[in-house]
Amino acid sequence: MTNPAPAAPADAPRTQRPREQPVIEVMRPKTTTSPSATPTAADEARVAVRIRGLNAWYGDFQALQEIDLDILHARVTALIGPSGCGKSTFLRWLNRMNDLVPTARATGTVDLHGRDLLSRAMDVVELRQHVGMVFQKPNPFPKSIYDNIAFGPRLHRRIPRRELDALVERSLRQAALWDEVKDRLKRSALGLSGGQQQRLCIARALAVEPELILMDEPCSALDPKSTARIEELIRELRQTYTIVIVTHNMQQAARVSDVTAFFCEGRLVESGLTDTIFTQPAHEETENYISGRFG
Amino acid sequence: MTDRRRMIRTIKNRGFVVVCVAATSVSIAALAVLLFAVVKQGTKHLIGFDRAGVTADRAPQPPDEFTDLADVDWPALAASLETPALATLTDMPWRRLGRAQSFEYADEIIDVDWPAAADTLAWPELATLGTVDWDRALEVMTVPGFGRIAATWRNSEIGQFVTSPPSRRPERAGIGPSLAGTIWICAVCGLVALPLGVGTAIFLEEYRPKPRWARAAHAFVQLNISNLAGVPSIVYGIIGLTAFVQMFDVLGTPNDPWFTLGTPDAWYYLQVPFGRGVLAGGLTLMLVILPIVIVSAQEALRAVPDSLRQGSLALGSTRWQTIRRMTLPSAIPGIMTGSILAMSRAIGEAAPVLIICGIVFIRFLPQNVMDEFTALPLQIYDWAGRPQEDFHRVAASGILVLLAVLLTFNAIAIVIRQRFQKAMP
Ligand SMILES: Nc1ncnc2c1ncn2[C@@H]1O[C@H](COP(=O)(O)OP(=O)(O)O)[C@@H](O)[C@H]1O
Ligand SMILES: [Mg+2]
């Protein structure tokens, strides 16, 4: 299904700038701008989504320029960068939510299991069953907790009641919400606290059994305690799901992610193992941003 | 200087409040006077209970209305009067005869022009009925009673008023046919306007086209619908007259239709062009309220937060599934409220209906969507315009019934809104 990550950067089959890489490696042996070169983690990790030469526009405004990035299977990838640098835009192309913006368009390839997500032939409805999304502001549906979770599965097929009950319970358990809501599944989801609502939204996304979960600043509307719970949840989900999370919080990126990608003004400045990026960033911009000197 | 300014400012501020309070008081007073006048006039005709009527049981009674003649047991009458010809009247279309020769009451059977009836109904045997001794027949003629409960309702003043047809005598005049006509045209209007209006609103709000020319067309339609909501309703009456009644004269005339289904007596009778019937009236009213339904449904849809749509789409639903399972259920209370208020406007509209059906004296309830009809506002208008004072009272009673219907509709709208607001905090 997915291609194994190349052992050495020079072997990366579809990298667009193969000749630059040795040069960079000579200059900075520990990190590289090549997206597929995340040495230790990449050794075992498969590539879940391979992004090459992604450009995105809103009308005439170019929001993303030539993004190359590999998103690793069963790992958490954090996207960091100053506001307006295109993190959400990037995320929203991974499940084609940008189709809803009339002026939005994109070029390049986003490869998931050998299929190009950006192609016209891609069935976006089916795609979104494989790529779930959690939004910045919790958006529970004005329905019962049960119906919120069951909404996704019910879209795709008729499910016997007992099977659906089990699915709801499993999703809520995965999102660490079951114990808090098991006695009030039939009550409105709008009665939950903000943190619970966000975990409900995560459970709702999990219920359709996606491979990839996109989270756009999932904690920015929450208090520190709820944030800690969600972070814990993300660390648990990492075992089974591939997660891409946008965050403004450097500590959060450091705590939950395996790989970090730093965006600035529509470009991917650098990406690599989170430890490396935070301790030995290759670029001065990254270092400035991480240390809080701008952004 | 500053003191002066401050004083002016204070006066302006106070004056503003005074003017607002005065304006509100005047409008409330005007409303109160209006209601008082209508109630004072109208209740005279409505209140009062015919206790004698309660005792009227299922016992046979003489026929009253011309149409009551249909309930007479003609073969039995023929036997008791030894006039076999009377037996043929069992199948008589009394309604059509009454309409053709404009009779209202059963005793007018004496005046029926039987040879003419034989002609119009293409029923030669009727010609012989001119020789029947109708005076004697009327003395023994009976129809079955209504039964206790029906009689109570029918014999109360309100029951009488709501069920009986208009009449030359004010004390007998009722709003039966016009109330029925209003119900019929509003039913047609609602059944067409609701799906059409909500469908258009969904298209305008939920399907935003991408190509530039399509977006321009979209904006153009939107602009026009907002403008249509302000067009005087009489204009729609004229549109309805040419488009539905006559169909631009390209498909024959209403009297010589291009297409018919069934006979004029059948409940499913249909003809094209529609003529001055219930269908044309209902569709014309539909035109009047369609922009209101569309605009209010659009507002209800717009009030649904985008985050819900995005959340639904992100789970892999199609656009239609999102509309069907997320947007519409959230917007339904708003759509219902707007539509019910639009319907209550339709009930009160007189101008467009007047153009379709004119002021006509109709004593029968519509039987199918092609039947001619009259509506409550027109009936009221007709009575209010008559010289006799008594008819003005009847008109006021009609207004009370109309107000009651409108209040009921508004109450339903409020209940729906409250119910849904409670369900979805
Ligand atoms: N719907 C849109 N239409 C036009 N421009 C947009 C739209 N959404 C985002 N942008 C622009 O694209 C750029 C990137 O936005 P975004 O991806 O939301 O940034 P981030 O999530 O990193 O803060 C910003 O300059 C923003 O103004
Ligand atoms: Mg963002």
Side-chain angles (χ1 to χ4, degrees):
Chain A
M1 288 177 84
T2 49
N3 306 323
D11 291 340
R14 288 170 60 178
T15 307
Q16 296 196 334
R17 294 164 296 181
R19 268 179 296 144
E20 288 175 22
Q21 283 165 359
V23 181
I24 295 168
E25 203 163 12
V26 170
M27 287 164 61
R28 294 180 188 276
K30 283 199 172 141
T31 56
T32 155
T33 49
S34 169
S36 49
T38 44
T40 49
D43 285 344
E44 326 96 67
R46 294 180 288 136
V47 177
V49 188
R50 186 185 301 275
I51 296 124
R52 290 294 178 271
L54 175 64
N55 288 291
W57 290 267
Y58 293 107
D60 295 332
F61 171 73
Q62 184 160 14
L64 290 177
Q65 295 174 23
E66 289 296 325
I67 307 292
D68 293 341
L69 183 68
D70 283 351
I71 290 167
L72 300 181
H73 179 77
R75 293 286 183 278
V76 178
T77 304
L79 309 183
I80 59 171
S83 299
C85 67
K87 304 181 298 291
S88 299
T89 306
F90 177 79
L91 209 60
R92 290 164 59 87
W93 274 115
L94 295 187
N95 68 345
R96 295 273 297 268
M97 283 307 270
N98 272 332
D99 284 11
L100 301 180
V101 181
T103 57
R105 64 199 170 84
T107 61
T109 57
V110 177
D111 184 310
L112 176 78
H113 302 334
R115 287 198 295 167
D116 183 7
L117 300 191
L118 298 183
S119 77
R120 280 183 149 260
M122 188 74 211
D123 177 359
V124 293
V125 170
E126 196 208 319
L127 163 67
R128 290 175 191 150
Q129 291 165 36
H130 297 292
V131 184
M133 187 163 203
V134 177
F135 296 83
Q136 182 167 358
K137 207 168 145 263
N139 60 346
F141 300 149
K143 300 174 186 291
S144 71
I145 293 172
Y146 187 97
D147 287 338
N148 261 273
I149 307 293
F151 188 89
R154 274 178 181 154
L155 291 171
H156 311 307
R157 61 194 176 98
R158 273 192 179 283
I159 306 176
R161 185 75 194 186
R162 200 168 302 156
E163 197 185 320
L164 194 60
D165 287 347
L167 181 61
V168 168
E169 178 173 345
R170 191 172 68 228
S171 307
L172 284 171
R173 278 191 195 282
Q174 278 184 313
L177 192 60
W178 174 253
D179 291 331
E180 290 159 66
V181 301
K182 63 172 185 264
D183 300 325
R184 46 169 171 161
L185 291 177
K186 293 285 165 220
R187 286 215 236 132
S188 169
L190 303 181
L192 298 174
S193 74
Q196 288 174 324
Q197 287 187 357
Q198 193 63 300
R199 273 181 284 147
L200 180 77
C201 293
I202 294 174
R204 192 172 70 191
L206 295 178
V208 270
E209 295 166 355
E211 303 153 41
L212 181 64
I213 301 176
L214 311 174
M215 300 186 176
D216 194 347
E217 302 184 34
C219 303
S220 64
L222 305 182
D223 61 284
K225 210 171 153 206
S226 306
T227 303
R229 292 223 57 172
I230 303 252
E231 285 181 13
E232 196 181 317
L233 175 59
I234 291 171
R235 279 198 294 271
E236 278 164 28
L237 292 176
R238 173 170 61 182
Q239 330 240 320
T240 26
Y241 296 92
T242 306
I243 297 173
V244 183
I245 177 172
V246 172
T247 177
H248 260 122
N249 182 330
M250 291 308 112
Q251 285 83 29
Q252 184 171 66
R255 279 193 300 262
V256 301
S257 71
D258 304 295
V259 178
T260 298
F262 174 60
F263 282 68
C264 192
E265 291 177 353
R267 288 172 301 113
L268 174 64
V269 176
E270 72 174 291
S271 69
L273 286 182
T274 301
D275 287 342
T276 319
I277 294 269
F278 276 86
T279 52
Q280 291 157 298
H283 287 257
E284 202 173 327
E285 273 169 296
T286 319
E287 193 170 350
N288 288 344
Y289 183 71
I290 289 168
S291 58
R293 254 170 279 174
F294 91 103
Chain B
M1 188 61 194
T2 46
D3 266 1
R4 218 178 95 96
R5 224 188 241 169
R6 188 176 302 149
M7 209 171 77
I8 291 174
R9 207 172 57 187
T10 313
I11 290 173
K12 272 188 184 164
N13 198 21
R14 291 267 164 78
F16 169 72
V17 174
V18 169
V19 168
C20 286
V21 169
T24 315
S25 318
V26 168
S27 46
I28 288 178
L31 214 67
V33 168
L34 181 94
L35 258 180
F36 176 74
V38 171
V39 170
K40 186 164 174 283
Q41 286 242 315
T43 44
K44 272 190 199 143
H45 188 77
L46 283 180
I47 296 182
F49 201 69
D50 180 7
R51 304 238 163 243
V54 180
T55 54
D57 209 342
R58 284 180 194 281
Q61 55 188 40
D64 182 22
E65 306 286 334
F66 194 74
T67 42
D68 286 351
L69 292 170
D71 298 330
V72 172
D73 186 353
W74 291 103
L77 193 69
S80 72
L81 293 179
E82 291 163 12
T83 321
L86 284 179
T88 59
L89 288 175
T90 314
D91 300 327
M92 183 72 195
W94 292 103
R95 206 172 139 241
R96 267 173 74 193
L97 180 64
R99 202 184 272 188
Q101 304 194 2
S102 61
F103 293 120
E104 291 183 34
Y105 303 107
D107 53 12
E108 287 176 280
I109 197 171
I110 296 171
D111 304 326
V112 171
D113 180 353
W114 291 106
D119 247 19
T120 41
L121 300 177
W123 189 347
E125 288 165 48
L126 293 181
T128 64
L129 291 172
T131 58
V132 172
D133 182 357
W134 285 110
D135 284 320
R136 239 193 88 216
L138 269 176
E139 275 165 30
V140 294
M141 201 184 281
T142 57
V143 290
F146 294 103
R148 191 175 297 273
I149 294 171
T152 309
W153 166 244
R154 210 183 136 88
N155 288 309
S156 72
E157 293 277 341
I158 294 179
Q160 277 284 350
F161 183 64
V162 172
T163 54
S164 45
S167 165
R168 292 166 303 197
R169 293 181 243 156
E171 70 278 5
R172 299 196 48 145
I175 53 168
S178 50
L179 185 61
T182 286
I183 292 171
W184 271 81
I185 57 174
C186 285
V188 169
C189 165
L191 286 178
V192 181
L194 211 67
L196 217 57
V198 175
T200 311
I202 289 178
F203 173 72
L204 287 175
E205 278 305 305
E206 305 293 322
Y207 288 91
R208 305 227 164 241
K210 265 194 173 182
R212 184 163 295 174
W213 65 267
R215 271 187 298 186
H218 206 264
F220 182 74
V221 171
Q222 177 67 65
L223 181 74
N224 278 291
I225 284 171
S226 314
N227 285 341
L228 279 179
V231 170
S233 55
I234 193 144
V235 175
Y236 289 104
I238 293 166
I239 297 173
L241 187 68
T242 50
F244 301 131
V245 175
Q246 301 160 348
M247 297 217 167
F248 310 104
D249 290 332
V250 292
L251 299 171
T253 64
N255 292 328
D256 178 21
W258 166 75
F259 168 82
T260 56
L261 174 72
T263 60
D265 289 325
W267 62 267
Y268 55 86
Y269 176 62
L270 212 68
Q271 70 166 54
V272 176
F274 298 147
R276 297 176 179 271
V278 167
L279 189 57
L283 290 179
T284 306
L285 273 190
M286 181 275 289
L287 289 183
V288 177
I289 68 163
L290 190 60
I292 309 175
V293 174
I294 294 175
V295 169
S296 65
Q298 273 189 291
E299 267 159 25
L301 289 171
R302 217 173 294 151
V304 177
D306 230 20
S307 63
L308 295 185
R309 287 188 192 91
Q310 299 217 359
S312 166
L313 287 170
L315 289 171
S317 63
T318 60
R319 278 204 291 194
W320 171 243
Q321 281 176 322
T322 298
I323 291 169
R324 180 68 195 73
R325 303 182 187 209
M326 181 61 54
T327 322
L328 262 188
S330 310
I332 276 290
I335 293 176
M336 289 297 285
T337 320
S339 305
I340 290 175
L341 292 182
M343 284 304 290
S344 65
R345 163 139 186 225
I347 293 173
E349 275 296 346
V353 187
L354 180 66
I355 292 188
I356 300 300
C357 68
I359 291 287
V360 279
F361 185 75
I362 291 183
R363 297 183 38 81
F364 309 103
L365 311 187
Q367 302 296 309
N368 56 47
V369 288
M370 290 296 138
D371 249 350
E372 50 179 348
F373 69 99
T374 185
L376 208 40
L378 297 186
Q379 186 68 68
I380 292 168
Y381 170 74
D382 179 32
W383 281 328
R386 297 199 185 186
Q388 301 97 314
E389 187 111 354
D390 284 341
F391 270 116
H392 299 169
R393 230 165 267 143
V394 179
S397 306
I399 291 172
L400 282 184
V401 173
L402 189 60
L403 278 180
V405 174
L406 290 178
L407 281 181
T408 316
F409 262 72
N410 283 287
I412 293 173
I414 290 171
V415 167
I416 288 178
R417 196 165 36 198
Q418 297 266 331
R419 169 109 5 126
F420 276 92
Q421 264 167 3
K422 236 178 267 162
M424 295 198 304

